[in-house]
Amino acid sequence: MEAKAIAKYVRMSPSKVGVVLDLIRDKNVNEAFAVLQYTPKDAAEVINKVLKSAVANAENNMNLDVNRLFVAEAYVGQGPTLKRFRPHAQGRAFRINKRTSHITLVVKERA
């Protein structure tokens, strides 16, 4: 049995989110919350919300024991990129890509 939560169209690049996801992968849920609380990255706040949602899904929809949950899968995919332009030298335009992410967390009960 597994429970999952997805956050789509998060305005943060997937590479920055992936760094924080690597910290909590395969950890106990309580330990993952502790790691996220003291991680000084903006992505940690968003991932904390997704993890809370996954735990709530496990508890309420799947009737799993919260104390035995661990982060089984944690991955990020690239969402659509917002393309913006800034003026540059000699009348040229300089493109800025504002990337988005789809964050997926899966929690399972440890046997």
Side-chain angles (χ1 to χ4, degrees), residues 4-73:
K4 153 162 83 164
I6 302 172
K8 288 187 158 194
Y9 307 106
V10 176
R11 257 294 293 124
M12 206 169 294
S13 79
S15 56
K16 291 179 181 178
V17 174
V19 169
V20 181
L21 284 178
D22 290 340
L23 296 174
I24 65 165
R25 194 174 286 119
D26 296 324
K27 284 198 169 39
N28 186 1
V29 166
N30 295 326
E31 190 180 339
F33 280 126
V35 168
L36 290 172
Q37 185 179 355
Y38 294 106
T39 302
K41 299 266 186 194
D42 289 337
E45 192 176 329
V46 177
I47 293 171
N48 193 27
K49 286 183 180 182
V50 180
L51 185 57
K52 276 184 185 174
S53 179
V55 170
N57 289 341
E59 185 178 12
N60 297 315
N61 300 343
M62 309 286 189
N63 295 323
L64 299 177
D65 183 16
V66 178
N67 297 321
R68 292 174 49 201
L69 290 177
F70 74 102
V71 181
E73 295 176 41

Side-chain angles (χ1 to χ4, degrees), residues 10-15 78-82 97-101:
V10 176
R11 257 294 293 124
M12 206 169 294
S13 79
S15 56
Q78 185 162 337
T81 301
L82 304 171
N97 293 325
K98 294 182 177 280
R99 302 184 190 280
T100 61
S101 305

